[in-house]
Amino acid sequence: MKKDNKKSRRKFLRYTFGAGLGTLIGLPLLSNSTGHDDKPLSGDKIKLLTTDGKVIEVDKNQLQNMTSYAKPAVDKAARQGIPNRKFVMVIDLSRCKNARACVESCQYAHQLRPEQEFIKVLKMQDTEKTAPYWFPKPCFHCDNATCVDVCPVYATYKRDDGLVLIDSDRCIGCKYCMVACPYEARVFHWKKPFREEEFEGIEYSPETSVPVKQGTVGKCDFCPDLARNDKLPHCATACPEGVIYFGDMYEDTVTNGYETHRLSELIEKKSAYRYLPHYGTEPNVYYLPPVDRIYPFDETENS
Amino acid sequence: MKTKKLYTLWIGFLGIFLALGFYTVIRLYTKGSDTVFHADDTIPWTLLIASYVFFVLTSTGATIVASLSMVFGFSRFDPIVKRSLFIGLIALIAGFISMGLELGDPLHMFYYFISPNLKSPIWWMGAFYMSLLIILSIKFWQIHKRIGSEKIKKILSISALILEIAALTTLGSVFGFIEARPTFFGEFIQVYFLFSSIIAGISAIFFFSLIVYKLKYNGIPKSLTRMYESLSKIFAAFIGITLLFSIWRILIGLYANRPEFDALSYMVETWHYRIEIFIGLMVPFAIMIIPNFRKTFSGKLLAAILVFVGLGIERMNMVMLGQIHPIFPHFLESESIISYFPTIWEWSIAMFSLTIMLFLYTLGEKYLDLETHNVSTK
Ligand code: SF4
Ligand code: SF4
């Protein structure tokens, strides 16, 4: 039963991927696929994800703005955060098999080049005697973030909802944050942005981190534009193994899309820990240790 | 006639590097930073940060030397005040050029003024050095035009010295405060910067003034030999202190029980680190403490050149020391040392900064009469 669920989930994800751009950039969503006005069909099809999780192709002229869709915040609103939320991520290391779906979906949504990764999957080994394991590493959205402290122009900032975001319209590209982050969570946009034409004309928001600006810094943003619409970050949705849980500290709840847990219970019962906590950065990403592994560690695995 | 020929040759030489520098700048802004920089996220700070540190610390040192007379009243050093201040000024400009070209998006710099983060060491460092640029310019202009009341002159001199020390220690904190990178050497680096900036300043003053004396008077003018002898002794003392700190830095690093210090074990084995210590400090120290060498023109010039070049390499080693070790202790696949060698274009920009400094100095020497006294050749 569980397996079936997974299968259909995978299929769903593959489609979401294709439609991801439409969702991500806040294009008008489909409200009425039968058409709502007299505009003639343009012949230009677009893939979209419906609210019940189906991917459909519709004519561009059939799109209509939905008032309930929350657009990514810009300017001041993007600095304040989503009220009464405190986001948290839990990564279950016992499930990760380096499928790299998280990496790819994140790269796609954030206009990254193939060599750029906001979330990395690293091969880790604690001691020579212990087994290696895969370690997905996003930005930890630290409560006491060194990157925020060192940024001379407040291009990197901490929001009330716990997120640490970057405003590329402000970043001077000094790279101090990159040197100061103890987790090497940041990437620099050295090169001309990838897929530039696709993102042309889209309003920039620190919540989406697109369109990418060359000469500035980027990093995992926890996809707050999706959170505004009660959706999980791209990585969590894409992971076929349900490794990545996302949720709210105030609600003490995290979910990977098909399992929901109390955060406090996971921390206590599964001995969740934070990575290199001795830096005093207070990360908001917890790891469940790689015990009782679902898959044996396989270096060749990459699918 | 011979001097004129030399001058034309010199300007031509500078012209080549200026042209190359301008080409690189155009390349940077039209083709993108990846075509100029090493472009690796694990080494975010490249040669240009080292070159920035090199120039601004040279500026600090030169201003501190000028302060011997301006602030502390050692009139023996009066003759080099104007030249030292000028070197302080042009080295700062060269530093700003390196830093400005390192920035990914300098057009956003206005946020530096309208949205300052007072917690950021880089913000303070920028504020101090920008204020210094203004104060040093006014100060130099006052001396050049022989204007300004004594009181204002004194206030400016003291402010310049305080700002230099503040800027220098803040620059140290830019590196030293990074907890995850202990090989930037925490507070230690601030003290090291102070001493090494003094020798940087003196070496620049020696280098520039000695060459001018050679061309103009075929040696150090008699009336200035005592001053240069005193300055040489100060030079010797501070090279010695810097050397001592460098040795301590190695020892602290080698005995430290943290994996990051593998970077140091690696670094001490490299040719560039050896040049920094042996050629950049030990040899000039020996030259400066042995009177027979110290008193000669060529001894001084050679020591100055060795320290100047050695410090250039030291700044590079320092910036790399903090970055070449990956900060993931558990990551098996990470290389134990990340390799980096500046690209030809990074060299070109660093040379561009140096060339601008040399060019400005040439103009200064020609048009601004950097000699404070009428020196006698007898
Ligand atoms: S992981 Fe690094 S980039 Fe992310 S918030 Fe913490 S210090 Fe900043
Ligand atoms: S690179 Fe950009 S975000 Fe990072 S510290 Fe500099 S200005 Fe801030």
Side-chain angles (χ1 to χ4, degrees):
Chain A
M1 188 62 206
K2 200 174 174 187
K3 202 164 182 189
D4 284 344
N5 268 347
K6 254 197 197 165
K7 247 191 185 163
S8 61
R9 196 168 160 269
R10 253 187 220 146
K11 200 171 150 200
F12 157 83
L13 290 169
R14 220 177 307 133
Y15 286 119
T16 318
F17 210 3
L21 189 62
T23 319
L24 166 82
I25 59 181
L27 281 176
L29 286 186
L30 185 73
S31 66
N32 179 357
S33 60
T34 55
H36 62 278
D37 55 21
D38 303 329
K39 269 192 193 170
L41 298 183
S42 69
D44 223 356
K45 297 278 185 200
I46 186 164
K47 264 188 185 173
L48 281 178
L49 173 69
T50 62
T51 41
D52 56 350
K54 287 195 190 96
V55 172
I56 49 169
E57 265 197 359
V58 288
D59 192 277
K60 256 192 177 168
N61 282 355
Q62 290 177 303
L63 296 174
Q64 183 192 358
N65 265 321
M66 266 178 63
T67 42
S68 62
Y69 175 76
K71 279 179 148 188
V74 291
D75 301 328
K76 269 198 182 144
R79 292 206 156 238
Q80 279 151 3
I82 305 172
N84 306 317
R85 310 294 295 272
K86 174 82 199 283
F87 296 109
V88 63
M89 188 176 271
V90 177
I91 297 176
D92 188 348
L93 298 176
S94 69
R95 294 181 178 200
C96 183
K97 61 167 192 169
N98 192 28
R100 293 182 58 80
C102 57
V103 178
E104 282 157 21
S105 67
C106 172
Q107 284 175 322
Y108 188 82
H110 291 110
Q111 203 194 344
L112 299 181
R113 301 187 147 268
E115 70 276 11
Q116 291 181 301
E117 296 175 353
F118 281 176
I119 180 165
K120 296 185 174 73
V121 183
L122 306 174
K123 189 172 95 174
M124 300 283 264
Q125 187 171 24
D126 294 338
T127 67
E128 273 179 18
K129 286 185 186 139
T130 52
Y133 56 94
W134 296 111
F135 183 91
K137 182 180 69 72
C139 164
F140 294 160
H141 293 266
C142 311
D143 280 344
N144 198 8
T146 41
C147 58
V148 174
D149 287 346
V150 300
C151 177
V153 292
Y154 278 127
T156 286
Y157 56 95
K158 179 88 180 164
R159 312 204 303 185
D160 296 341
D161 55 9
L163 299 193
V164 172
L165 298 186
I166 303 169
D167 184 350
S168 304
D169 278 341
R170 224 180 244 223
C171 173
I172 59 172
C174 67
K175 310 182 201 89
Y176 195 9
C177 54
M178 297 179 76
V179 181
C181 166
Y183 311 109
E184 281 184 2
R186 296 180 160 240
V187 302
F188 193 71
H189 296 302
W190 300 97
K191 295 186 181 170
K192 204 167 161 292
F194 204 38
R195 292 154 60 214
E196 208 170 11
E197 317 73 52
E198 276 177 57
F199 287 82
E200 218 174 76
I202 292 158
E203 185 177 23
Y204 170 77
S205 161
E207 293 200 342
T208 57
S209 308
V210 293
V212 157
K213 288 195 177 71
Q214 189 175 17
T216 64
V217 162
K219 69 164 188 72
C220 151
D221 51 25
F222 269 12
C223 308
D225 56 317
L226 298 187
R228 279 189 190 278
N229 292 288
D230 295 324
K231 291 196 169 83
L232 292 176
H234 293 285
C235 54
T237 316
C239 177
E241 308 301 329
V243 171
I244 300 172
Y245 294 81
F246 188 72
D248 189 329
M249 232 173 223
Y250 295 150
E251 288 173 352
D252 193 23
T253 311
V254 287
T255 178
N256 59 4
Y258 59 95
E259 276 174 33
T260 304
H261 292 283
R262 286 244 164 258
L263 173 69
S264 51
E265 254 177 47
L266 280 184
I267 293 178
E268 200 184 307
K269 291 203 179 131
K270 292 209 166 182
S271 311
Y273 66 94
R274 295 185 289 183
Y275 188 60
L276 298 179
H278 65 268
Y279 288 125
T281 43
E282 301 289 337
N284 278 309
V285 173
Y286 289 83
Y287 285 95
L288 305 183
V291 291
D292 300 330
R293 309 204 35 163
I294 295 181
Y295 303 98
F297 181 84
D298 183 353
E299 200 142 350
T300 54
E301 180 90 58
N302 190 7
S303 58
Chain B
M1 196 61 208
K2 197 180 153 209
T3 331
K4 209 164 177 202
K5 227 178 179 179
L6 259 179
Y7 183 74
T8 319
L9 258 176
W10 173 240
I11 294 292
F13 176 74
L14 293 182
I16 293 172
F17 282 100
L18 280 182
L20 187 65
F22 279 121
Y23 174 75
T24 314
V25 174
I26 293 168
R27 184 186 171 91
L28 174 65
Y29 292 121
T30 53
K31 295 198 170 164
S33 28
D34 59 308
T35 63
V36 167
F37 292 108
H38 180 68
D40 176 356
D41 289 339
T42 50
I43 308 269
W45 280 347
T46 59
L47 172 67
L48 294 196
I49 290 291
S51 128
Y52 167 75
V53 174
F54 173 74
F55 287 116
V56 295
L57 288 183
T58 304
S59 161
T60 305
T63 316
I64 291 176
V65 173
S67 305
L68 288 174
S69 151
M70 290 183 335
V71 178
F72 301 109
F74 293 110
S75 49
R76 176 178 299 182
F77 298 104
D78 286 353
I80 48 160
V81 167
K82 195 172 176 188
R83 183 172 278 122
S84 307
L85 270 183
F86 191 66
I87 292 171
L89 201 56
I90 57 176
L92 201 52
I93 293 171
F96 278 139
I97 290 171
S98 281
M99 178 52 118
L101 293 171
E102 233 276 338
L103 294 182
D105 201 332
L107 293 180
H108 289 163
M109 264 307 276
F110 63 94
Y111 282 109
Y112 176 87
F113 300 100
I114 61 170
S115 163
N117 178 7
L118 302 184
K119 266 187 168 179
S120 166
I122 266 200
W123 190 88
W124 283 103
M125 180 195 72
F128 289 140
Y129 277 124
M130 278 189 236
S131 318
L132 265 167
L133 192 66
I134 297 168
I135 290 190
L136 290 182
S137 307
I138 300 174
K139 187 80 215 166
F140 180 79
W141 199 244
Q142 275 185 337
I143 294 179
H144 183 64
K145 289 280 169 196
R146 298 169 196 267
I147 50 170
S149 70
E150 281 308 307
K151 203 171 156 198
I152 293 184
K153 276 187 186 162
K154 192 87 189 171
I155 292 175
L156 283 179
S157 303
I158 295 174
S159 320
L161 181 64
I162 294 173
L163 276 173
E164 285 289 6
I165 304 290
L168 168 145
T169 40
T170 314
L171 175 61
S173 74
V174 166
F175 297 99
F177 282 6
I178 302 175
E179 219 190 316
R181 299 183 186 268
T183 38
F184 277 138
F185 276 86
E187 305 79 27
F188 184 97
I189 202 73
Q190 291 168 310
V191 187
Y192 179 83
F193 274 0
L194 176 63
F195 295 125
S196 63
S197 80
I198 293 173
I199 60 169
I202 299 180
S203 68
I205 293 167
F206 270 21
F207 176 72
F208 286 116
S209 50
L210 293 185
I211 287 186
V212 171
Y213 293 152
K214 185 79 193 165
L215 291 173
K216 275 193 184 167
Y217 317 115
N218 202 24
I220 299 174
K222 273 264 160 44
S223 59
L224 297 179
T225 42
R226 273 189 64 205
M227 182 203 72
Y228 274 97
E229 179 60 14
S230 311
L231 206 53
S232 301
K233 285 180 184 160
I234 299 176
F235 196 26
F238 280 98
I239 298 175
I241 299 174
T242 310
L243 182 60
L244 192 71
F245 267 79
S246 298
I247 292 169
W248 271 114
R249 178 155 66 169
I250 296 172
L251 292 177
I252 294 171
L254 294 184
Y255 283 97
N257 204 9
R258 282 183 68 167
E260 290 90 340
F261 283 95
D262 289 353
L264 194 97
S265 316
Y266 160 82
M267 193 67 100
V268 291
E269 299 281 328
T270 58
W271 60 266
H272 38 93
Y273 207 80
R274 289 185 181 163
I275 291 186
E276 173 194 330
I277 303 292
F278 294 111
I279 317 258
L281 290 171
M282 282 184 177
V283 175
F285 183 59
I287 296 175
M288 283 291 111
I289 54 166
I290 301 171
N292 281 349
F293 290 140
R294 185 180 62 232
K295 288 193 163 87
T296 62
F297 179 89
S298 40
K300 287 189 190 62
L301 186 61
L302 181 64
I305 293 174
L306 291 182
V307 169
F308 202 65
V309 174
L311 282 177
I313 295 174
E314 189 280 333
R315 306 306 183 210
M316 186 65 197
N317 288 342
M318 188 277 303
V319 171
M320 285 309 133
L321 201 52
Q323 299 183 88
I324 54 169
H325 193 275
I327 45 185
F328 294 112
H330 296 184
F331 183 24
L332 280 186
E333 274 177 356
S334 65
E335 305 148 305
S336 60
I337 294 295
I338 308 162
S339 61
Y340 166 80
F341 194 79
T343 64
I344 178 165
W345 305 110
E346 287 170 11
W347 283 114
S348 161
I349 297 181
M351 285 308 291
F352 181 57
S353 309
L354 180 66
T355 312
I356 297 262
M357 183 178 167
L358 294 173
F359 185 65
L360 289 176
Y361 186 79
T362 311
L363 293 183
E365 203 56 67
K366 199 167 163 75
Y367 300 108
L368 294 174
D369 184 23
L370 299 179
E371 236 25 276
T372 325
H373 279 193
N374 286 333
V375 290
S376 109
T377 49
K378 295 269 143 55

